[in-house]
Amino acid sequence: MKTFFLIILCNLFVVLSMQAQQTPKIELGELYIGNELFDINGRAFRLEDFRGKYILLGFWSQSSNESIADFKQLKKLKEQHADKLTIASICVDKIDNWKTSFKQKEITWYNLSNGTQKKEGIAKDFYIEKLPTYILIAPDGTYYARLVSAALYIANWENLPMP
């Protein structure tokens, strides 16, 4: 009986720890103050650097065809809404892969990484699993929305309350 109880207890612990790992550290409506991110040249950025505009964080990987396909939509968003929107693509690849793939892409907006893939940092804070995933941060720094398509932002942009 003790063995059965121990097995049940261990299974419950595993389930609870998995649920804890899957819960985003940041919830909709909360202020997000993240860690440093770096561009391809090693320059450090924080999300606070972009306050005053919406910030669209696009999590991507060179192995995600959907992520790469969305680059055209991101370019269109940047051109249409540069006065209200800052776009920052966050690569979850290893640093070497990111630097190689960046040189092959026409990314004209911020392209950042923290070098931890999806294990730590901003990707873990927002519980990024599927790529691409887009997080919209409001001008005041609060977590505003989560979507899986840049095209959805284009289609719904006019419905967003502006600062």
Side-chain angles (χ1 to χ4, degrees), residues 28-87:
L28 282 172
E30 289 183 352
L31 182 65
Y32 182 71
I33 299 173
N35 299 321
E36 283 188 328
L37 297 163
F38 300 90
D39 71 6
I40 204 82
N41 298 313
R43 242 180 341 169
F45 291 90
R46 297 182 72 80
L47 292 185
E48 294 84 28
D49 298 338
F50 307 119
R51 287 245 173 98
K53 292 183 179 182
Y54 282 95
I55 307 166
L56 181 62
L57 304 175
F59 292 86
W60 72 283
S61 168
Q62 73 174 19
S63 63
S64 167
N65 293 331
E66 295 88 358
S67 295
I68 305 306
D70 271 1
F71 285 174
K72 290 179 184 176
Q73 298 294 334
L74 292 172
K75 184 176 181 180
K76 186 175 178 180
L77 263 175
K78 181 184 181 237
E79 291 168 357
Q80 291 176 346
H81 304 291
D83 59 326
K84 301 175 204 134
L85 177 70
T86 297
I87 298 173

Side-chain angles (χ1 to χ4, degrees), residues 98-115:
W98 168 53
K99 288 183 177 183
T100 301
S101 65
F102 173 76
K103 292 174 184 172
Q104 299 168 355
K105 311 294 181 247
E106 290 186 36
I107 299 175
T108 59
W109 52 91
Y110 292 98
N111 183 18
L112 308 172
S113 176
N114 64 356

Side-chain angles (χ1 to χ4, degrees), residues 122-138:
I122 192 169
K124 186 175 179 182
D125 291 349
F126 287 107
Y127 185 59
I128 303 301
E129 269 197 337
K130 183 179 177 354
L131 298 174
T133 295
Y134 296 94
I135 302 295
L136 188 64
I137 306 293

